[in-house]
Amino acid sequence: MGRLVHFEIHVNDMERAKKFYGEVFGWSFQDWSEYAGMPYFGAVTGSEDEPGINGALMQRQSAPPEEGQSLNAFACTMGVEDYDSTERKIIENGGKVAMPKYALPGMAWQGYYLDTEGNIFGIHQPDVNAK
């Protein structure tokens, strides 16, 4: 099986991106730039005893996505405990709504956002009462 074990988010402004993901999701970062030969920061997304994976922020090597462009890569979705407060943090820290909150009936609340670097990501709050 090809289980997902790592992700990379391409960014233009490393400090801005670290601040965004740190403030919104509580991620911490480790400088792995020496190993990568470019600005590259490992992202610790949670404790090892809970489900999920860690990844990295890496320096973008080409033009960023254009505003309004359809997704042409993978979209990472983060599990959250409180959808509405997470959305507020996203907006307060420079993110934008890409697809507003909607119900996955009987399962969860879902929505998509743009980070400060123009990348699309999702947030997902489990809720059996979502309609």
Side-chain angles (χ1 to χ4, degrees):
M1 284 220 200
R3 187 168 190 269
L4 186 62
V5 296
H6 182 77
F7 65 84
E8 294 174 331
I9 300 172
H10 294 230
V11 305
N12 294 332
D13 184 322
M14 187 64 71
E15 292 307 310
R16 179 176 63 198
K18 284 170 38 184
K19 181 179 183 313
F20 178 81
Y21 284 100
E23 292 290 330
V24 173
F25 296 111
W27 294 0
S28 62
F29 299 94
Q30 302 167 349
D31 189 350
W32 298 341
S33 303
E34 184 178 332
Y35 305 110
M38 69 171 78
Y40 193 97
F41 284 78
V44 178
T45 65
S47 68
E48 293 297 322
D49 62 344
E50 57 186 332
I53 63 171
N54 294 322
L57 303 179
M58 70 176 287
Q59 190 65 48
R60 191 182 307 279
Q61 301 297 302
S62 62
E66 292 184 28
E67 192 163 330
Q69 172 182 328
S70 355
L71 182 65
N72 65 352
F74 290 99
C76 294
T77 296
M78 275 60 86
V80 299
E81 290 183 22
D82 183 335
Y83 190 103
D84 295 331
S85 70
T86 303
E87 181 180 66
R88 277 193 298 280
K89 286 181 192 174
I90 291 167
I91 303 305
E92 289 169 1
N93 284 282
K96 298 177 185 172
V97 175
M99 179 182 280
K101 178 181 179 180
Y102 61 94
L104 298 170
M107 179 178 149
W109 296 102
Q110 180 78 30
Y112 291 89
Y113 298 83
L114 293 166
D115 69 8
T116 55
E117 311 308 300
N119 300 304
I120 294 174
F121 66 94
I123 61 173
H124 178 96
Q125 176 193 333
D127 182 352
V128 296
N129 298 311
K131 332 180 179 175

